[in-house]
Amino acid sequence: MAHDESSDPEPGPAAVPRSTEQADAPAARRLHRRVIVAAGVGVLFVALLLGGLIAVRNGVIGLDEGWAGEVIELRGAFGDAVAFTMNRLGGGAIGVFVVPLGGAVVLLLCRRPWGAAFFLLASAASAGVVQLLKQLFGRARPEDMLVTSDFGSFPSGHVANAATIAVVVGIIAPRVWVWALGVAYTLLMAFTRTYLGVHWLTDTIAGALVGAGVALVVWAILARPLEQERQRWHRRREASAGAAPLQAG
């Protein structure tokens, strides 16, 4: 019997690419994680270089002194109220315990356990790196302070905490408005730290770099389960949204 070539299945594009995509997926994930780690480590290295520059200059930079002189002129009743509120929100028991634990509880209630773990680990790691750098550089704080603070001006722990939260929440809930709120919160925290006179401007810049860098490194470690969890969460939301019209009908 003659062989009919027309009966053979043609090698369609779906047959080969499917196995190729499956083989390439782990490599793509590894590359993705490496890029995130490189970005996070690079940001942390910039913060370290900034600290080295300040140390070489004996803690004195013209930009810091100029900014401090300008921002002190803005002090007033309204500014004090905002700055004192941000001071309590970003530090002490509230900033170190209440905000991270509260965020983790919310994420657990939303059935995002990996997101909760990400929040807690990034917050703890960021605080640890800040304390390490404070001890390493031992920079003196400005003299005209409106609140008492602990040892070490470089980097700002309040700003690092704010940047960590902004990046973590932006990764867990990737929306433009979420990122915009995170950036605004971090900038406001940075401004109020210099307004209160507890940090130099470069301290706040380094704090933002540390917070963002640590969050990126922790994200790279948890990237795969976080992405799987995010996809499951969206599927549940879509299923719930689809079931609602049926129940209404």
Side-chain angles (χ1 to χ4, degrees):
M1 180 176 180
H3 178 67
D4 186 3
E5 293 183 355
S6 62
S7 64
D8 291 340
E10 294 184 0
V16 175
R18 182 176 180 81
S19 59
T20 303
E21 289 177 359
Q22 291 175 346
D24 289 345
R29 283 195 296 267
R30 286 195 298 270
L31 177 60
H32 180 61
R33 285 196 295 269
R34 288 173 182 171
V35 171
I36 299 172
V37 169
V41 172
V43 170
L44 290 172
F45 184 67
V46 172
L48 191 62
L49 287 178
L50 181 57
L53 174 62
I54 293 169
V56 170
R57 299 286 298 273
N58 295 320
V60 178
I61 292 183
L63 174 65
D64 287 329
E65 295 179 333
W67 175 266
E70 293 294 331
V71 76
I72 287 175
E73 297 295 326
L74 300 176
R75 288 177 177 175
F78 176 75
D80 289 355
V82 173
F84 289 139
T85 299
M86 296 298 288
N87 179 61
R88 289 189 292 269
L89 184 61
I94 294 177
V96 175
F97 298 107
V98 176
V99 173
L101 291 175
V105 169
V106 171
L107 288 166
L108 288 173
L109 292 175
C110 294
R111 301 168 67 181
R112 301 286 296 270
W114 282 107
F118 180 28
F119 203 125
L120 291 175
L121 287 174
S123 297
S126 176
V129 172
V130 165
Q131 292 304 316
L132 179 64
L133 293 179
K134 282 180 179 289
Q135 296 298 322
L136 177 63
F137 293 105
R139 189 184 195 187
R141 292 182 183 271
E143 295 180 356
D144 190 10
M145 296 190 296
L146 297 183
V147 295
T148 58
S149 297
D150 59 1
F151 170 80
S153 184
F154 182 94
S156 168
H158 281 65
V159 178
N161 183 43
T164 300
I165 293 172
V167 174
V168 167
V169 175
I171 290 170
I172 294 173
R175 299 288 186 274
V176 173
W177 66 269
V178 173
W179 281 103
L181 283 178
V183 171
Y185 175 66
T186 304
L187 290 175
L188 180 59
M189 185 65 76
F191 175 78
T192 56
R193 300 316 287 163
T194 58
Y195 177 95
L196 292 172
V198 290
H199 283 290
W200 303 104
L201 177 62
T202 49
D203 298 336
T204 65
I205 295 172
L209 293 173
V210 168
V214 169
L216 289 174
V217 172
V218 177
W219 177 30
I221 297 172
L222 302 178
R224 184 174 183 180
L226 281 171
E227 178 60 21
Q228 292 173 342
E229 182 179 80
R230 187 187 68 82
Q231 292 177 359
R232 288 194 300 270
W233 187 73
H234 279 294
R235 285 196 294 268
R236 286 196 299 268
R237 289 194 62 188
E238 292 172 356
S240 299
L246 295 177
Q247 293 175 355

